[in-house]
Amino acid sequence: MVTSYFDEMYGSGGTVRSPYAMVAEWLGTQRIADLKSKHDEAEALFRRTGITFSVYNDNASAERLIPFDIVPRIISASEWRQLSAGIEQRVRALNAFMYDIYHRQEILKAGRIPAELIVQNEAFVPEMIGVEPPLGIYSHIIGIDIVRTSENEFLVLEDNTRTPSGVSYMLENRETMMHMFPDLFSRNRVAPVENYPINLLRTLESVAPRGLDREPVIAVLTPGIHNSAYFEHAFLADEMGVEIVEGRDLVVRDGALHMQTTLGLRQVDVLYRRIDDDFLDPLVFRKDSMLGVPGVMDVYRSGRTTIVNAPGAGIADDKAIYSYIPEIIEFYTGRAPILKNVPTHNCRRSDDLAYVLENLEKLVVKEVHGSGGYGMLVGPAASAAEIEAFRLKLTARPSNYIAQPTLALSTCPTLVDAGLAPRHLDLRPFVLIGDQVRLVPGGLTRVALRQGSLVVNSSQGGGTKDTWVLQD
Amino acid sequence: MLGRTANDLFWLSRYVERAENMARLLEVGYRIVLLPREGQGFHEEWRSTLESTGCAQSYERKFGQINTRDVVDFLLFDPDNPSSIYSCLSAARRNARAQRTAMTRDMWECLNSSWLEFSAIKPESVTSNALPGLLDWIRGRSALFRGTMLNTILRNDTYYFSQLGTFLERADNTARILDVKYYVLLPSSEVVGGGVDNFQWGAILRSVSAHRSYRWVYKENYKPWRIAEYLILNKQMPRSLGYSYFEVATALEDLGDYYHHRQACQATAANTVSLLESGDINAIFQSGLHEFLQDFIARNNRLGAEIADTYHFSG
């Protein structure tokens, strides 16, 4: 099979790449009908376990599954070494950047980033200026979206420094694959991912307020069962053995954060929040928020409770900041980035804007603050009318957009109606930053199930695959 | 444990117990309707079923007339009826979802599968012939959930609050069944007599799955005061008030020990336990079975409220 894209299994030439040797051989012996029934079995398993999203009521049909593909995505040990070195370098730099931005702002003084990009940014939280988070860390859990475009090229598409989600799928996909295809695991040396929850717990413990004379009390804050990621919130709390709380379970009393237990109030030391900054504290952010806790920001600023990830951590994953990340890495680590960015045009710059307007049909244009694959233009896939409509939006507010070349995202064989066919994918490893950087080998592989589609987001019909990192 | 978690676990158990109880009452009601009888006797039967489940008024408002198909749909599938099996399973599953961390994966999967299967049933597909099978299935799923819980849950506050929900609900259900039918148990009653009586007595026992065990315990034909004694006082009978309160009091004692904190609700429960232990069925009949049951139901409600208050169910 020869494609114009780099295929994870067949490379560019059509011969099976060595990490996939065993899986390719196994696939060759399977009948498509059998694979499809295995696929149905996997989905039934997901449904029974309740690994669903997008729930607005108790009607089962309103709970959807993220489609799961049974062909694993495989990364070799040496590829992973390169990726993990690049990821570690990147997340250390991102945290150093945030510390700097909320303190002396050396990088702005040095003129490496335009100051207005920070101070006028909605993701910049002035209330965080001068706050000293434990260990100086702002973003403790980061999901980095990586795409592969050739044998040797991995590019970072996006950093998620606020409340990245999807790690439960990484873990459940592995559980499901091991349950259904134990043979494959006995014949391949697949690095385990199951340490993630304990690593997360250690990370949260390591950033507890200083000088506690007891084991830190940790809680996961969820918006509630109707949130699309609720399964993940409950899953992580359960795996860590900590309470899952909603805003209504929490109260600030005597300058400390408490949860309301069967025995009355109990102090919370580390809050792993899975709600956005805007909703965290109605006294500081959105006044109409029912999800947060009035006064929690004061507690945080006084150092009596650690909020993870810190408020204001979104400044590091803003799309307008993204194009400066290579400079950020050099500025704080003194070294060139190990992992490259995708070349990005900032439409706020007039020469970039002119280029983008000239080349809309070739580019992917994204909103600076958008996420989930909404509000973006994929030039090569768009109609002339769609391009013209987007051109009007772009010229009206150029600083709201960035543009990138349409990437030749790698493909991997995927089970579709017609059998096995190549589909585009990306990779989101989850990295934990506390007293040390912890990275389980793997991540969430998202796959665009529609033929030719380059959009892997689950909200846009993307699915997931188990991600294998092989050991030497 | 969060107060909200305790509340959700308590109610989750109540809803599962209530659904099972509803299935049993429907089964009994359906048997009686099948009985060859003159006139509109089945109306009475369905009316007492609606009353013992607390659904009589809401049914009346919605349908007016009693009609077997409407009653069955109302009690099984109607989302507008908060006590329908549909509503109970939906609420149980919602609570379970909110408290996944407090329950084992096995418990969650059992409840989730039950809900997914039940909510996929089309009410019109449940014909008279299919109904007994469905009711069996519901009882089976409830039993599976309880069994899974007993075999997998940690013996800590999650277990104690679940037990409290189950047995407060069970005591309430048994008391209501008896209270709605108390007149058929009164020895002096003139409305009853002969074979229908025997059948009614059997129905009461069936509605708590006790028609076989009664014979093992009493070795004689149905006698109304024996039936009352069996369901109120006899601690061998797992759905009796006496047994339910033994479990309620035990769970509260365990909770007090677990938290190292004695609470007033332990004494409240112990009070009811001694009332039942020292109780004499003749005395109960003399001072009024209906009055006794009404008093019990009120006590049971008060204890539920006291527990909710003591353990901060609503923060």
Side-chain angles (χ1 to χ4, degrees), chain B residues 89-108:
Chain B
L89 292 183
S90 162
R93 197 254 185 181
R94 187 173 55 237
N95 283 14
R97 204 162 174 272
Q99 303 303 336
R100 281 193 62 162
T101 55
M103 61 185 55
T104 62
R105 192 167 178 144
D106 292 341
M107 287 165 71
W108 158 255

Side-chain angles (χ1 to χ4, degrees), chain A residues 427-445:
Chain A
L427 172 69
R428 177 183 286 183
F430 295 90
V431 54
L432 299 165
I433 307 101
D435 52 344
Q436 50 176 285
V437 174
R438 295 174 170 91
L439 176 61
V440 296
L444 179 66
T445 291

Side-chain angles (χ1 to χ4, degrees), chain A residues 27 162 166 176 202-203 210 266 275 303 365 372 400 417 429 454:
Chain A
L27 276 177
R162 305 169 200 218
T176 303
R202 294 284 168 268
T203 301
R210 305 297 93 177
R266 182 164 188 222
I275 68 176
V365 192
N400 195 37
D417 285 343
L454 294 166

